[in-house]
Amino acid sequence: MKIKEVSEKFDIPADTLRYWEREGAIPPVTRNAAGYRDYDEEDLDWISFAKCMREAGVSIEYLIEYLTLFKQGDVTLQARKDLLHEQLATIAQRLDEIQHTYDLIKEKADHYEAYVEGYHGKLAN
Amino acid sequence: MKIKEVSEKFDIPADTLRYWEREGAIPPVTRNAAGYRDYDEEDLDWISFAKCMREAGVSIEYLIEYLTLFKQGDVTLQARKDLLHEQLATIAQRLDEIQHTYDLIKEKADHYEAYVEGYHGKLAN
DNA sequence: ATAAACCTTGGAGTCGACTCAAAGGCAAGT
DNA sequence: ACTTGCCTTTGAGTCGACTCCAAGGTTTAT
């Protein structure tokens, strides 16, 4: 699968796919004879993983760290597990924050809905 | 309340508080005789609002837009309501994405937990 | 066989959101 | 009065994550 197809499949710019690879957030992609990237199943799995993580706000640096461990093989299983749990905790916290903001805005929007005026002050606390 | 106290209360750098104000993401803060910022209740409400929104990933530009409408008074009630609903939709989507990633990482972490080896490939799809 | 549409790399540019530094004013303690 | 610490503004610097460009190689369609 060439980069453009992957780009369309995942809705990620080709430049970004190259950038992730260059930075080491995903492993080097398989190449064809001409030196073109030819993504196989495993490459796509990594893209999928990276996309998910990025959408959840996980940094590139974090992905690099994970991949670095991954490349070192089974000896880093525990370290990778720890890294994932750490990330889980961060994401759970982010979820809470966003949920909280959602509720707040929902309430505020409902005030507007009810067409009551001057309701800014009520939002914050 | 002076800027340092507010900074500590909300755990937001003073520089960031000034930045938000400079950009128009929050209204101009009340000043004392010496020209020092002296945050009152309403100022704090706006900080609280901005902090929430930023944590949920809402851009500064969006806050500026909202405040701009707010300053124009009741004639913009409908527009503000629309803006909030738009933002609600975005945040709801973000919540879903993050929830999805959370589940995925949880699953992956559980694989590690079970100490099964070589489980990267299973994650993505 | 030639143009259009891909692909490659390296490196520079952009953008949002801070973050810091410099130069100076004010305030509280000794 | 002096030091320490907080405050002000303006303007520049940083950082993460892209995003774009140039120069050139490849593939596909006509």
Side-chain angles (χ1 to χ4, degrees):
Chain A
M1 213 176 187
K2 284 200 278 186
I3 200 165
K4 202 188 177 216
E5 297 172 84
V6 177
S7 164
E8 279 159 8
K9 178 175 164 68
F10 289 102
D11 196 31
I12 300 170
D15 269 328
T16 300
L17 294 173
R18 289 192 205 96
Y19 168 72
W20 287 354
E21 187 180 348
R22 207 178 332 139
E23 292 294 303
I26 56 171
V29 172
T30 320
R31 302 297 180 114
N32 71 12
Y36 287 19
R37 287 172 183 80
D38 182 17
Y39 296 79
D40 65 18
E41 266 313 300
E42 208 184 319
D43 293 327
L44 296 181
D45 285 351
W46 277 101
I47 302 288
S48 175
F49 175 53
K51 179 182 178 176
C52 259
M53 295 293 262
R54 289 293 304 122
E55 278 172 357
V58 177
S59 71
I60 296 287
E61 196 185 357
Y62 220 96
L63 294 179
I64 296 170
E65 209 176 324
Y66 182 79
L67 180 53
T68 302
L69 288 175
F70 185 87
K71 285 190 294 197
Q72 286 165 37
D74 290 353
V75 73
T76 65
L77 275 170
Q78 180 65 38
R80 274 182 273 162
K81 189 188 79 118
D82 292 348
L83 207 61
L84 289 176
H85 278 291
E86 194 184 317
Q87 212 39 239
L88 263 185
T90 306
I91 292 177
Q93 192 185 327
R94 192 150 20 206
L95 266 175
D96 275 0
E97 279 172 5
I98 298 184
Q99 184 66 58
H100 175 229
T101 299
Y102 182 89
D103 293 345
L104 220 66
I105 302 183
K106 180 103 184 61
E107 201 190 319
K108 198 184 179 83
D110 287 349
H111 280 146
Y112 275 106
E113 201 68 61
Y115 232 75
V116 182
E117 306 196 346
Y119 256 80
H120 153 258
K122 283 291 196 300
L123 167 93
N125 301 303
Chain B
M1 212 175 187
K2 284 199 279 186
I3 200 165
K4 204 191 176 209
E5 296 172 83
V6 177
S7 164
E8 279 159 6
K9 178 176 165 66
F10 289 101
D11 195 29
I12 299 170
D15 270 328
T16 300
L17 293 173
R18 290 193 204 95
Y19 168 72
W20 286 355
E21 185 179 350
R22 211 185 322 145
E23 292 294 304
I26 56 170
V29 172
T30 321
R31 302 296 180 116
N32 71 12
Y36 287 20
R37 286 173 184 80
D38 183 16
Y39 297 77
D40 65 18
E41 264 315 299
E42 210 184 319
D43 294 325
L44 296 181
D45 284 351
W46 277 101
I47 302 287
S48 175
F49 176 53
K51 180 183 179 176
C52 259
M53 296 293 262
R54 291 293 304 121
E55 278 172 356
V58 177
S59 71
I60 295 288
E61 196 185 359
Y62 220 96
L63 294 178
I64 295 170
E65 209 175 325
Y66 182 80
L67 180 53
T68 302
L69 289 175
F70 186 87
K71 285 191 293 198
Q72 286 165 37
D74 290 352
V75 75
T76 66
L77 275 171
Q78 181 64 39
R80 273 181 273 162
K81 189 188 79 120
D82 293 347
L83 207 62
L84 289 176
H85 278 291
E86 195 184 317
Q87 212 40 238
L88 264 185
T90 306
I91 292 176
Q93 192 185 327
R94 191 148 27 210
L95 266 175
D96 275 0
E97 280 172 4
I98 298 183
Q99 184 66 60
H100 175 230
T101 299
Y102 182 89
D103 293 345
L104 219 67
I105 302 183
K106 180 101 183 64
E107 200 190 318
K108 199 183 177 82
D110 287 350
H111 280 145
Y112 275 106
E113 200 67 61
Y115 233 75
V116 182
E117 304 196 345
Y119 256 79
H120 152 259
K122 283 291 194 300
L123 168 95
N125 300 306

